[in-house]
Structure formats: structure tokens, C-alpha cells
């Protein structure tokens, strides 16, 4: 098993007026860094995102899970669905990573769940030169609205086969994206991917996507997709 270093960090946001707690997982010689954007009502402690982050770290990806809202902000339910605000916080995490001497040179991907997927896509659209790939797990990419047309980073949309309603929203978003994009449906999985093997399938798809887009180089990416 890979020896993973875990660090507690503070991500500066809003012109460094607030600090958002985060958890950084660092495998030896990390090949890229994945920033997580959790869904509504969740936090950096989300057991599903934490499980995905740990599994990706085992495969050589550094990962950053952080709270998109302060405790006071999270008490206002309107903030949980404020995609522009959440996207700005993802953007703050991107800037924090780039300013870090030890992390700044790594290729960077975003992993969003539920409403966090919309925030990740909006952030990617606003930072085309910084974000190399996006993965959405059970996401609401439709909430990114017009930003979908501006996303340049290769995007993978993962949806459960029993997540009715969300499948159709992801199909529409997939059709709207102009970047290299793929829609993967995991048979029998519901919105939270709680079924046996469902989350492992998410990890496998995400790891392959990040390997292709962040570490393989343009030639292999074009051949692979």
C-alpha cells in the first residue's frame, strides 16, 4: 500500500478574508492534483468523496478536499445552492494550489459531486488554462447553465443507472458541452452510489480519465478518446 501523507490546510478565499479548512492527501511523487467540490449539505468530511480521494491517492494523485462554505454560511440553505459563490470558492482553491511552492506545478483536475459538479464546471470555464480535466459524480451539470459552453477541460460525467431524472439532466449537459466529453452510466447505481461496487466503479472511471487527460500527454489522449 502506498504511504500517503495527510495534511490539514486552510484555503484562503474572498481576498484572504476567510479561511476554509481542507484535507490534503499527498502520495509520494504525485502525478497530478485533484480538487474536490462536494455537493449540497456536505463538507470536506463527505464519506463518499473521502473514499474516492483516498482511492485516487493510492493511485498516485494528490487530492484536496475542502469546505466550500464557512460554518455560518452553511447554515443559510440558500448558500448551498448558490453556484456562483461555490464556483468562486473552487476558484479560490485553484489559486491556493497554484500559489503553493510544492503543489503549484502539478497538473490539476476537478472532481465535483451533485451541485459541486456545477461549481466545478463553472470554475473550469473561468480558468481554462489552469484546469486540465473535470469529473462529475452524480452531478447537476445543468446548474452550470451557460458556463457549459465555455468549458475547455475534458469532462467526464458519471451517473447511476437508477438515478432517474439526473440521467436526463446529464445527457442534456453532455450534448451542450463543446469540450471533449464522455457520459458513463453505472448500471443499478442510485444517486449516492451506495450499492456494492458502485463507488469502486466511480473511482476506476475517474482514475482512468485523469490518467488520460492529466498525465498521458496529447498524443495518447487523442488516441484514447
Amino acid at each position: 500500500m502506498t504511504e500517503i501523507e495527510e495534511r490539514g490546510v486552510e484555503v484562503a478565499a474572498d481576498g484572504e478574508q476567510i479561511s476554509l479548512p481542507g484535507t490534503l492527501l499527498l502520495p509520494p511523487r504525485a502525478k497530478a492534483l485533484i480538487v474536490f467540490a462536494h455537493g449540497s449539505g456536505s463538507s470536506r468530511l463527505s464519506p463518499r468523496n473521502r473514499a474516492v480521494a483516498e482511492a485516487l491517492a493510492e493511485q498516485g494523485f494528490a487530492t484536496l478536499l475542502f469546505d466550500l462554505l464557512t460554518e455560518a454560511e452553511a447554515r443559510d440553505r440558500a448558500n448551498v445552492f448558490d453556484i456562483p459563490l461555490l464556483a468562486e470558492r473552487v476558484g479560490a482553491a485553484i489559486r491556493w494550489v497554484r500559489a503553493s511552492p510544492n503543489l503549484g506545478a502539478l497538473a490539476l483536475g476537478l472532481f465535483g459531486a451533485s451541485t459541486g459538479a456545477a461549481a466545478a464546471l463553472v470554475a473550469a470555464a473561468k480558468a481554462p488554462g489552469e484546469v486540465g480535466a473535470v469529473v462529475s459524480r452524480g452531478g447537476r451539470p445543468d446548474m452550470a447553465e451557460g458556463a457549459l459552453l465555455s468549458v475547455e477541460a475534458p469532462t467526464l460525467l458519471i451517473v447511476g443507472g437508477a438515478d432517474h431524472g439526473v440521467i436526463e439532466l446529464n445527457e442534456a449537459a453532455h450534448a451542450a458541452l463543446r469540450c471533449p466529453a464522455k457520459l458513463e452510466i453505472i448500471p443499478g447505481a442510485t444517486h449516492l452510489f451506495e450499492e456494492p461496487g458502485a463507488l469502486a466503479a466511480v473511482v476506476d472511471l475517474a482514475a482512468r480519465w485523469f490518467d488520460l487527460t492529466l498525465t498521458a500527454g496529447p498524443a495518447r489522449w487523442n488516441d484514447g478518446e
Side-chain angles (χ1 to χ4, degrees):
M1 180 176 288
T2 305
E3 187 171 334
I4 308 296
E5 178 186 354
E6 180 172 334
R7 293 183 194 168
V9 299
E10 296 287 333
V11 175
D14 290 7
E16 301 192 3
Q17 294 180 30
I18 66 171
S19 234
L20 303 168
T23 302
L24 187 65
L25 298 179
L26 288 170
R29 297 176 297 281
K31 53 190 177 182
L33 186 144
I34 312 303
V35 174
F36 280 70
H38 57 74
S40 56
S42 190
S43 72
R44 72 187 188 284
L45 304 177
S46 158
R48 282 166 291 278
N49 276 351
R50 174 78 192 197
V52 174
E54 290 176 350
L56 289 178
E58 287 291 339
Q59 298 194 42
F61 294 98
T63 61
L64 172 65
L65 298 105
F66 75 108
D67 289 348
L68 276 67
L69 300 171
T70 65
E71 288 185 13
E73 289 171 336
R75 286 194 287 270
D76 182 348
R77 288 293 293 171
N79 288 328
V80 172
F81 298 97
D82 186 339
I83 301 303
L85 172 61
L86 301 179
E88 172 52 35
R89 297 295 166 79
V90 176
I94 293 170
R95 293 189 292 274
W96 180 85
V97 167
R98 289 303 181 217
S100 169
N102 298 321
L103 304 173
L106 290 173
L108 190 147
L110 302 178
F111 184 103
S114 190
T115 51
L121 287 163
V122 173
K126 291 184 175 181
E130 301 293 343
V131 178
V134 179
V135 172
S136 162
R137 171 183 67 81
R140 288 293 308 275
D142 56 296
M143 294 180 75
E145 298 180 338
L148 291 175
L149 301 177
S150 302
V151 176
E152 296 181 7
T155 298
L156 173 65
L157 306 174
I158 304 173
V159 191
D163 197 0
H164 305 298
V166 175
I167 293 176
E168 290 76 12
L169 294 172
N170 275 262
E171 288 173 337
H174 180 253
L177 286 164
R178 295 176 178 175
C179 59
K182 193 171 186 180
L183 174 64
E184 290 278 6
I185 297 176
I186 297 178
T190 52
H191 189 63
L192 295 180
F193 296 87
E194 296 175 304
E195 295 71 24
L199 207 57
V202 169
V203 170
D204 182 60
L205 289 168
R208 283 202 243 168
W209 191 258
F210 287 135
D211 266 326
L212 271 175
T213 56
L214 299 179
T215 71
R220 184 176 158 195
W221 161 244
N222 291 333
D223 290 343
E225 294 298 317

